[in-house]
Amino acid sequence: MGAIVVAAGQGRRVGGIPKQYRPLAGVPMVLRTLRAFTSHREVAQVVLVLPPADAGCPPPFLTDLVGHGLTLVAGGAERRDSVAAGLAALPAECRIVLVHDGARPFVDPAVIDGVIAVARSGAGAVAAVPITDTVKEVEPGDGRRVRQTLPRELLWRAQTPQGFPRDLLVAAHERARHDGIPATDDAALVERIGGVVRLVPDSPANFKVTTEEDLVRAELWAARR
């Protein structure tokens, strides 16, 4: 089984160094993320997708890890390209593939287990959290006029990890590349080719660090762990 950790972004919405390298309680964010997968008993290989310049000359804290179940590869222009690069670097014997955001450093091992179990059944799996707020759909072109209120009991917020039988994920990416379809969510590509995707209940603690406010929250959370 293999895992792809996607950390190829430039962190434009936060200042200073790229967000994936920002320390949380003294530990670089992406290193916290990696540890959940490199230490997992069922994950044989982890591919970390970095910005091209960093893949060739990684930060020192990653250098000693390379070759011990960890491979570094250069990301692409879009997230879909970065995941595809990670897929290409995974050994052929990795028949189940997990995909995780490098900026989600607080994933629970039990959620990883749940995603693996679903992927092994032949379906795609998505860690997700039920939406508790009321959600409004707006009219196209008029972001302030409400079209309808969506039934929140049917709505979940997709997170990562996501897991798939390798053949299913490869087929989804090949079709998306052929059709020129971008994606921020691999499960959406699998859904697009008719694949079954199931949700694995997750925790809001597995949030994605995107803004400076998220970094403050992440620092507080890391200090408690």
Side-chain angles (χ1 to χ4, degrees):
M1 181 176 308
I4 301 167
V5 175
V6 184
Q10 300 297 326
R12 295 183 182 90
R13 279 176 278 188
V14 297
I17 65 174
K19 66 180 178 182
Q20 59 266 44
Y21 306 140
R22 296 278 286 265
L24 300 176
V27 179
M29 184 190 309
V30 74
L31 184 56
R32 285 184 174 273
T33 304
L34 281 173
R35 286 172 175 170
F37 297 92
T38 57
S39 65
H40 196 283
R41 65 191 181 281
E42 296 198 66
V43 176
Q45 184 70 33
V46 178
V47 175
L48 176 60
V49 187
L50 294 174
D54 297 343
C57 185
F61 69 84
L62 289 174
T63 304
D64 291 342
L65 300 177
V66 176
H68 301 280
L70 178 67
T71 301
L72 306 183
V73 299
E78 304 291 340
R79 187 180 188 280
R80 190 197 70 200
D81 303 317
S82 293
V83 174
L87 266 172
L90 278 176
E93 57 267 26
C94 293
R95 304 315 303 166
I96 299 294
V97 178
L98 307 177
V99 182
H100 189 65
D101 297 323
R104 292 187 191 271
F106 304 120
V107 59
D108 190 318
V111 173
I112 298 176
D113 291 342
V115 168
I116 290 171
V118 173
R120 277 193 169 139
S121 76
V126 179
V129 176
I131 288 178
T132 56
D133 295 325
T134 298
V135 179
K136 304 289 186 179
E137 181 183 2
V138 298
E139 294 287 350
D142 185 351
R144 295 191 177 183
R145 181 176 178 179
V146 174
R147 171 185 283 181
Q148 63 176 325
T149 300
L150 300 175
R152 65 185 178 188
E153 63 272 14
L154 300 179
L155 300 175
W156 291 63
R157 186 174 70 250
Q159 302 192 151
T160 65
Q162 300 184 3
F164 310 90
R166 184 179 186 139
D167 291 345
L168 180 61
L169 184 59
V170 168
H173 270 265
E174 288 180 348
R175 177 70 66 81
R177 182 174 42 111
H178 178 271
D179 295 344
I181 302 295
T184 58
D185 179 86
D186 294 281
L189 300 183
V190 170
E191 295 162 31
R192 187 172 174 271
I193 64 169
V196 173
V197 176
R198 301 191 182 281
L199 301 180
V200 176
D202 197 1
S203 163
N206 185 24
F207 60 94
K208 186 176 183 181
V209 177
T210 303
T211 65
E212 288 287 355
E213 290 77 12
D214 295 332
L215 279 167
V216 173
R217 179 184 174 197
E219 179 67 29
L220 293 171
W221 190 257
R224 295 167 49 191
R225 294 169 72 90

